Amino acid sequence: MKKTYLLLALVLWVASAFAQKTEYITKFNIPYYNDSLNQADEYLRQQCVLDLYYPKNVKHFPTIVWFHGGGLTGGHKEIPEALKEQGMAVIGVGYRLSPHIKAEHCIDDAAAAVAWAFNHIEQFGGDSTLIFVSGHSAGGYLTLMVGLDKNYLKRWDIDANRIAGLIPFSGHTITHFTIRAERGIPGTQPVVDSLAPLYWVRKDAPPLLLITGDRHMEMLGRYEENAYLMRMMKVVGHKNTRLYEMQGYGHNMTAPAFPLLLKDVREIVKEKRAND
């Protein structure tokens, strides 16, 4: 009889655990520009949509806005598997690509998508003070530009300093090579102008976690670019810039980087909630 009760208790505990497991919902192809812009431009209507993955019946969850890579010329919006079922929302952003538009306008799309997150995530239960921005390669570049050059989000009446954290993976910190290519400048010629994150180093930026591949395996000095950005952020007085080098991994270094992203998000969330 005692064994029967123990077995029944175990069955009820397992059933309760499954019942309490958080469910997640995905909403696909949500436009982040207004109807007038969508109706006026077929390519914008096709590309400028996002997928929202979020926990059901959970309140005040953090959100990661994720930009895909592809050199600003390719790639598709995605919800990385490593970010699923982590108690937070993930927004996979699609954006227009060169040569359909000038590559610099990809930043406009990135800012519009981040603004959408600030303006809408609370409707789904999220916390608009806990929005993080991240992405790989070209997505890392967009992350840095939206977060460091405050002018892009200012167009949407949003202060970029509201971003809880910037976590670019292997992002350019100089002017993107596709932008340089459009100007006839080779990829081996570095340029730092207003379309370079390095141009916008500032003391009051959101927390910044830079992650790259191995300096000996990365693309064209990508690690060194990020190391210089870290140094200059510290020079101007930024208190929370860190750099991780994924040794043994090349430019495709996302697998070991995702746990660092999640750890950083959780630490910042914990700190913010402790200070509330």
Side-chain angles (χ1 to χ4, degrees):
M1 181 67 72
K2 185 177 181 181
K3 288 184 178 180
T4 302
Y5 281 123
L6 288 173
L7 180 59
L8 178 59
L10 178 62
V11 169
L12 290 173
W13 180 84
V14 171
S16 175
F18 275 105
Q20 294 174 11
K21 183 178 180 181
T22 302
E23 295 181 44
Y24 289 82
I25 296 172
T26 305
K27 293 188 178 294
F28 297 98
N29 296 322
I30 302 172
Y32 54 81
Y33 280 119
N34 61 37
D35 288 342
S36 61
L37 286 173
N38 284 320
Q39 293 303 318
D41 187 329
E42 181 178 355
Y43 183 62
L44 181 146
R45 182 169 67 252
Q46 170 191 325
Q47 290 291 113
C48 295
V49 292
L50 56 84
D51 295 341
L52 170 63
Y53 171 92
Y54 67 100
K56 182 180 179 182
N57 298 326
V58 176
K59 298 297 183 183
H60 310 300
F61 52 76
T63 299
I64 299 171
V65 180
W66 176 261
F67 296 111
H68 67 81
L72 304 180
T73 62
H76 304 278
K77 60 182 166 62
E78 59 180 349
I79 305 290
E81 288 296 323
L83 300 182
K84 291 183 176 180
E85 298 188 5
Q86 298 294 330
M88 56 191 72
V90 185
I91 295 176
V93 180
Y95 50 90
R96 292 171 293 173
L97 301 168
S98 175
H100 297 279
I101 59 166
K102 289 291 185 182
E104 64 186 79
H105 295 303
C106 297
I107 310 167
D108 297 322
D109 293 348
V114 172
W116 184 95
F118 276 107
N119 291 328
H120 293 89
I121 199 61
E122 291 186 354
Q123 298 173 16
F124 301 91
D127 186 337
S128 63
T129 72
L130 297 175
I131 292 176
F132 298 79
V133 184
S134 185
H136 175 236
S137 193
Y141 169 77
L142 295 175
T143 296
L144 288 167
M145 286 301 299
V146 169
L148 294 181
D149 181 353
K150 299 183 76 173
N151 293 302
Y152 287 99
L153 281 173
K154 186 177 181 180
R155 298 169 190 170
W156 299 95
D157 296 321
I158 291 173
D159 185 345
N161 287 0
R162 290 176 60 192
I163 297 171
L166 302 167
I167 308 108
F169 291 11
S170 291
H172 259 314
T173 72
I174 63 174
T175 301
H176 197 278
F177 67 80
T178 298
I179 296 173
R180 283 178 279 147
E182 291 174 346
R183 301 173 182 172
I185 301 171
T188 53
Q189 177 64 56
V191 172
V192 176
D193 61 14
S194 63
L195 292 173
L198 268 164
Y199 187 89
W200 299 100
V201 295
R202 54 191 178 85
K203 179 179 180 179
D204 63 335
L208 178 57
L209 176 61
L210 304 164
I211 311 176
T212 77
D214 190 312
R215 70 188 72 187
H216 301 295
M217 301 172 69
E218 264 283 8
M219 295 176 65
L220 292 177
R222 193 65 58 91
Y223 165 81
E224 288 79 4
E225 286 183 40
N226 281 261
Y228 187 49
L229 176 61
M230 178 189 69
R231 176 58 54 208
M232 295 311 298
M233 289 292 286
K234 290 180 180 296
V235 166
V236 298
H238 192 257
K239 301 298 184 183
N240 194 355
T241 299
R242 289 160 295 143
L243 170 63
Y244 285 98
E245 177 185 6
M246 302 290 96
Q247 294 187 351
Y249 291 85
H251 188 62
N252 189 19
M253 39 55 76
T254 56
F258 280 125
L260 294 175
L261 163 59
L262 291 169
K263 181 175 181 288
D264 197 56
V265 168
R266 291 190 174 108
E267 287 177 350
I268 291 173
V269 169
K270 182 178 179 181
E271 181 180 352
K272 281 181 171 287
R273 286 176 174 166
N275 293 330
D276 286 345

